[in-house]
């Protein structure tokens, strides 16, 4: 049994991660900005606390005493680049100081490659409306990649479609390239993403890198 602190605990991915973690017997600290909005989250093995993933003091305070941190955050109201860069810096600075050794961060499909060296977000048909958000996520990934840290971090990147489909218990793991099926589709459920995250939490296989996951 481990103690897992989950940032963005009230979101779709955060909730799936909590379900998967408690089903495996772990204890979870669910971090949300406003606990009053998420009182359904607290439970027998889930402690609900207030925290902000972009704030070094807040991350240090809520993470103390945990083994593993999982970040499943996204803030529609913030400018993406300062948000994801700020979160990356806060996690990198505060988690090791708080005694957390392993951090799993959910990434974004658009900075995966559709061909060697060619990111989806740089392709000619990439929608303009998603560019700023994609650049923000990519900048956060760059912060992890350029960090000199003892923290055993891993960015886990979902495929093109991430949805609330069933928990199948199966997923594939790739590297920087988008994983697709023979028909070109690229899909995973939040529940199966949570399995991939908890598998990496319990039995770390990939270290200080980015992986992609898909069904
Ligand atoms: N295909 C893909 O690559 C793909 C698809 C979907 C999602 N994602 C990524 O997966 C991650 C999780 O997505 P999701 O679908 O679960 O999003 P979501 O449902 O919107 O949840 C995100 C959560 O982050 C929380 N949050 C925002 N700012 C925060 C802060 N400063 N500190 C702590 N928590 C904060 C939000 O809570 P409050 O605002 O209530 O505080 C919200 O509950 C995101 O990074 C998203 O970009 C990737």
């Amino acid at each position: 049994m481990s103690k897992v602190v989950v940032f963005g605990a009230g979101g779709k991915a955060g909730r799936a991660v909590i379900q998967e973690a408690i089903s495996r017997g772990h204890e979870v600290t669910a971090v949300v900005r406003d606990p009053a909005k998420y009182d359904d989250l607290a439970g027998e093995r889930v402690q609900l606390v207030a925290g902000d993933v972009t704030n070094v003091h807040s991350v240090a305070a809520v993470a103390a005493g945990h083994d593993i941190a999982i970040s499943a955050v996204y803030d529609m109201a913030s400018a993406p680049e300062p948000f994801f860069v700020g979160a990356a810096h806060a996690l990198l600075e505060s988690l090791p100081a708080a005694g957390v050794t392993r951090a799993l961060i959910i990434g974004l499909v658009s900075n995966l490659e559709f061909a060697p060296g060619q990111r989806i977000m740089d392709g000619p048909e990439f929608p303009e409306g998603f560019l700023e958000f994609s650049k923000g996520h990519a900048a956060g990934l760059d912060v992890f990649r350029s960090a000199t840290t003892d923290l055993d971090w891993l960015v886990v990147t979902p495929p093109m479609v991430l949805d609330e489909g069933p928990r199948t218990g199966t997923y594939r793991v790739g590297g920087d390239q988008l994983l697709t099926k023979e028909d070109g589709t690229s899909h995973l459920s939040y529940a199966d993403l949570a399995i991939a995250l908890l598998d990496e939490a319990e039995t770390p296989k990939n270290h200080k890198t980015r992986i992609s996951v898909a069904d």
Side-chain angles (χ1 to χ4, degrees):
M1 191 268 288
S2 295
K3 292 192 78 175
V4 185
V5 57
V6 180
F7 295 90
K12 292 185 284 299
R15 285 174 184 273
V17 164
I18 291 172
Q19 275 312 113
E20 188 63 29
I22 61 174
S23 77
R24 296 181 186 209
H26 301 299
E27 276 185 23
V28 172
T29 297
V31 184
V32 300
R33 286 185 294 182
D34 178 5
K37 275 171 53 186
Y38 295 107
D39 56 5
D40 63 311
L41 277 185
E44 199 181 326
R45 283 198 299 280
V46 183
Q47 192 193 358
L48 182 63
V49 302
D52 181 342
V53 74
T54 62
N55 181 298
V56 286
H57 304 295
S58 177
V59 173
V62 298
H66 292 78
D67 307 296
I68 297 150
I70 299 180
S71 179
V73 295
Y74 158 51
D75 182 15
M76 226 170 25
S78 292
E81 186 156 335
F83 177 76
F84 287 109
V85 167
H89 281 301
L91 293 169
L92 284 162
E93 180 177 333
S94 298
L95 293 180
V100 177
T101 53
R102 178 80 165 152
L104 305 170
I105 302 96
I106 302 178
L108 186 71
V109 64
S110 54
N111 55 53
L112 290 175
E113 296 173 357
F114 63 91
Q118 297 182 61
R119 297 183 303 182
I120 295 168
M121 59 187 277
D122 299 326
E125 286 167 28
F126 191 76
E128 180 72 29
F130 289 114
L131 203 49
E132 196 189 350
F133 184 64
S134 298
K135 285 180 178 170
H137 249 293
L141 173 60
D142 286 344
V143 172
F144 282 102
R145 282 180 157 159
S146 58
T148 306
T149 177
D150 290 336
L151 182 69
D152 185 13
W153 61 269
L154 178 68
V155 173
V156 177
T157 310
M160 206 61 91
V161 177
L162 180 64
D163 65 20
E164 300 188 65
R167 180 186 188 281
T168 70
T170 59
Y171 63 91
R172 293 179 295 149
V173 176
D176 280 329
Q177 291 210 356
L178 178 70
L179 289 170
T180 55
K181 289 186 168 170
E182 272 179 21
D183 63 3
T185 59
S186 155
H187 166 266
L188 196 67
S189 66
Y190 280 101
D192 286 338
L193 173 63
I195 295 177
L197 288 161
L198 266 296
D199 285 352
E200 275 286 351
E202 292 177 343
T203 311
K205 289 186 178 158
N206 296 281
H207 307 275
K208 295 186 180 181
T209 188
R210 179 266 287 284
I211 58 170
S212 58
V213 286
D215 67 3

